[in-house]
Amino acid sequence: MSYGASAYAKVSQVALSPREAEAAVLIKAATRLQAVQSDWANQSAGINEALNFNQKVWTVLAGAATAPESPLPVTVKNEIAQLSIFVFRRSIDTMVEPQAEKLSALININHQLAAGLRG
């Protein structure tokens, strides 16, 4: 029995809150985009993978934040919806006409939102 309690104690110290988990995923997406941007000449295939991952993150984030049952205020829901539209448009634009500098806005948005989630 004490083994189970000990294992639970260790996991509870490592487990992330939902906000921390969202922040961690945003940072992971930003890190992937940054890696592509930093090694642009060698990232012809990596760019679409990094952008697709970022789009998946934003799809989940926007869906959860703007859902009718979300406790967020309507103004925050609207702002997240507008921000996600920008992220999706920038991602598609970057896939169509790849340029390293186009990733900067996506990286910055992810970092800023993650910092806000971490409080």
Side-chain angles (χ1 to χ4, degrees), residues 19-57:
R19 289 177 65 117
E20 290 169 334
E22 290 169 345
V25 172
L26 283 163
I27 293 297
K28 181 177 181 177
T31 301
R32 286 183 173 194
L33 294 169
Q34 182 66 52
V36 168
Q37 188 181 48
S38 296
D39 190 24
W40 186 254
N42 298 315
Q43 294 295 328
S44 60
I47 186 171
N48 285 342
E49 184 179 314
L51 287 166
N52 284 330
F53 181 76
N54 193 57
Q55 284 181 305
K56 288 176 186 177
V57 169

Side-chain angles (χ1 to χ4, degrees), residues 3-113:
Y3 175 75
S6 175
Y8 176 78
K10 288 179 184 177
V11 171
S12 69
Q13 292 174 357
V14 177
L16 299 174
S17 73
R19 289 177 65 117
E20 290 169 334
E22 290 169 345
V25 172
L26 283 163
I27 293 297
K28 181 177 181 177
T31 301
R32 286 183 173 194
L33 294 169
Q34 182 66 52
V36 168
Q37 188 181 48
S38 296
D39 190 24
W40 186 254
N42 298 315
Q43 294 295 328
S44 60
I47 186 171
N48 285 342
E49 184 179 314
L51 287 166
N52 284 330
F53 181 76
N54 193 57
Q55 284 181 305
K56 288 176 186 177
V57 169
W58 273 90
T59 299
V60 171
L61 182 72
T66 60
E69 63 273 7
S70 171
L72 294 172
V74 173
T75 56
V76 174
K77 288 181 179 185
N78 290 339
E79 290 170 358
I80 290 174
Q82 290 173 359
L83 194 55
S84 64
I85 290 168
F86 172 82
V87 168
F88 297 142
R89 286 182 178 164
R90 175 58 65 102
S91 297
I92 291 168
D93 179 51
T94 305
M95 288 178 186
V96 172
E97 293 181 29
Q99 295 174 7
E101 56 275 359
K102 290 181 180 180
L103 298 177
S104 295
L106 298 174
I107 294 165
N108 188 39
I109 289 168
N110 285 9
H111 280 293
Q112 294 298 319
L113 188 55

